[in-house]
Amino acid sequence: MPEKAKVIPLCLIGGAGRSGTTVHKRIFARHPDCTRVPEYRFSIDPDGLVDFYLSLQTIWSPYYYDLKVKRLKRVLTSIGGNSLFLRAFTHYMRKFKVERLLPFHAVPAYSGIGFSRCSPRYGQLVDELIADLVEFEYPGQWNGTSFGERPQMYFASPEIRKELAAKLGKFWSAVIEDVCRYQKASFFVEDNTWNILWFDSILKLMPNARLVHVLRDPRDVVASYLRMRWSPNEVDKAAKWFKGIMNRWFEVRKQVPKDSFLEVRLHDLVQDPRKTLGEVTDFWGIPWSDQLLEEN
């Protein structure tokens, strides 16, 4: 019998934002067995994988399914984009804070990610996923069709909802395998910050996922929110933002197995990095490497 393919561990890092997730990802990027990927977001963002899965659990119509497939395809394609010009444009717009001076959003969606740089087969895998989600296409349009959109519609019967978790998980696993092959890594580590909000649903798509939730003093988190372009810049509103995120996590935490997540504190990482990182490597099953303690 052919040897069963190895399941590559999905090592998630999550938090409330500004809590130390990026620090943890940069540390594990030093490990020779771990991947180095941007915050790609196709799993948890609106119109991404989890959104597509959840939205179709209770709602279906031919129009709705067509719309959701097109939105999913648009998000996945945008995240994979690898235009050097767009990435450079986005980088300098944000580096010099030009974006904040304009009364509108001035950069294309997801233009700074370019995930196909990490996954050479990414575009092909997206096409395969869309084909897997569609029973047939037909020329047509309806009153809600967007201006300038090609008159082509996607269809799949309501029964496809029973297979969505497997189909979406298959795509996600294929992307992980492609990245690991390209980077010669054995563990896929990513830091989509709000993994904590969707972890119960992520487990339906990726049962092997294991989450490290990074906690930071709430006062520091809220103070840091005030400087971000994506969060409220008034203290009371930023505090409510943080409270909403954490309350949602408390709900999610009740729904998932206790051995599927680990909570660590940024303060502990600073005070005793060897101990804290050792807890994380043990949890993920990653062999220890002294490179984790190297300073950049």
Side-chain angles (χ1 to χ4, degrees), residues 54-106:
L54 291 176
S55 63
L56 287 159
Q57 294 308 297
T58 56
I59 301 174
W60 181 92
S61 77
Y63 293 165
Y64 188 72
Y65 193 77
D66 170 69
L67 179 68
K68 294 302 294 185
V69 171
K70 287 175 178 174
R71 286 182 173 179
L72 174 64
K73 183 177 181 180
R74 186 180 301 120
V75 165
L76 295 178
T77 302
S78 298
I79 288 170
N82 195 23
S83 167
L84 179 60
F85 170 77
L86 284 180
R87 285 190 281 112
F89 176 77
T90 301
H91 171 75
Y92 285 106
M93 286 287 284
R94 290 175 178 167
K95 179 179 180 180
F96 296 107
K97 301 182 179 180
V98 176
E99 191 179 19
R100 293 192 175 193
L101 301 177
L102 300 175
F104 55 87
H105 187 63

Side-chain angles (χ1 to χ4, degrees), residues 14-19 193-194 196 213-214 221 225 230 241-242 245-246:
R18 309 304 299 168
S19 61
T193 301
W194 287 341
I196 62 172
H213 177 199
V214 184
V221 174
Y225 279 167
W230 44 262
W241 224 61
F242 174 75
I245 292 170
M246 292 306 297

Side-chain angles (χ1 to χ4, degrees), residues 41-243:
R41 309 199 63 83
F42 68 59
S43 53
I44 62 170
D45 264 22
D47 293 326
L49 299 184
V50 170
D51 182 8
F52 186 82
Y53 170 74
L54 291 176
S55 63
L56 287 159
Q57 294 308 297
T58 56
I59 301 174
W60 181 92
S61 77
Y63 293 165
Y64 188 72
Y65 193 77
D66 170 69
L67 179 68
K68 294 302 294 185
V69 171
K70 287 175 178 174
R71 286 182 173 179
L72 174 64
K73 183 177 181 180
R74 186 180 301 120
V75 165
L76 295 178
T77 302
S78 298
I79 288 170
N82 195 23
S83 167
L84 179 60
F85 170 77
L86 284 180
R87 285 190 281 112
F89 176 77
T90 301
H91 171 75
Y92 285 106
M93 286 287 284
R94 290 175 178 167
K95 179 179 180 180
F96 296 107
K97 301 182 179 180
V98 176
E99 191 179 19
R100 293 192 175 193
L101 301 177
L102 300 175
F104 55 87
H105 187 63
V107 298
Y110 303 111
S111 59
I113 297 179
F115 193 71
S116 59
R117 289 176 292 159
C118 305
S119 172
R121 297 182 60 240
Y122 180 78
Q124 176 186 338
L125 295 174
V126 170
D127 290 341
E128 291 175 358
L129 170 63
I130 300 304
D132 205 22
L133 294 173
V134 175
E135 291 182 30
F136 60 81
E137 301 178 42
Y138 62 98
Q141 53 190 326
W142 55 291
N143 288 342
T145 300
S146 299
F147 175 78
E149 186 176 304
R150 188 167 64 96
Q152 193 76 8
M153 299 185 68
Y154 297 119
F155 176 84
S157 61
E159 286 70 25
I160 198 172
R161 291 181 291 183
K162 301 174 184 177
E163 306 170 359
L164 282 182
K167 290 179 181 292
L168 298 170
K170 175 184 174 184
F171 164 75
W172 199 347
S173 296
V175 171
I176 289 173
E177 182 180 347
D178 191 44
V179 173
C180 287
R181 183 188 301 112
Y182 182 63
Q183 297 188 355
K184 297 180 173 59
S186 302
F187 296 86
F188 188 88
V189 178
E190 57 105 311
D191 70 327
N192 288 324
T193 301
W194 287 341
N195 282 323
I196 62 172
L197 302 182
W198 306 105
F199 187 53
D200 52 344
S201 298
I202 288 173
L203 286 175
K204 296 183 184 303
L205 275 57
M206 301 292 286
N208 68 314
R210 294 297 177 266
L211 170 70
V212 169
H213 177 199
V214 184
L215 296 162
R216 185 184 182 189
D217 188 315
R219 295 167 295 183
D220 293 330
V221 174
V222 171
S224 190
Y225 279 167
L226 303 181
R227 302 192 299 272
M228 297 296 105
R229 59 185 173 84
W230 44 262
S231 55
N233 57 9
E234 297 176 41
V235 173
D236 59 335
K237 295 178 181 177
K240 289 180 180 179
W241 224 61
F242 174 75
K243 181 179 179 181

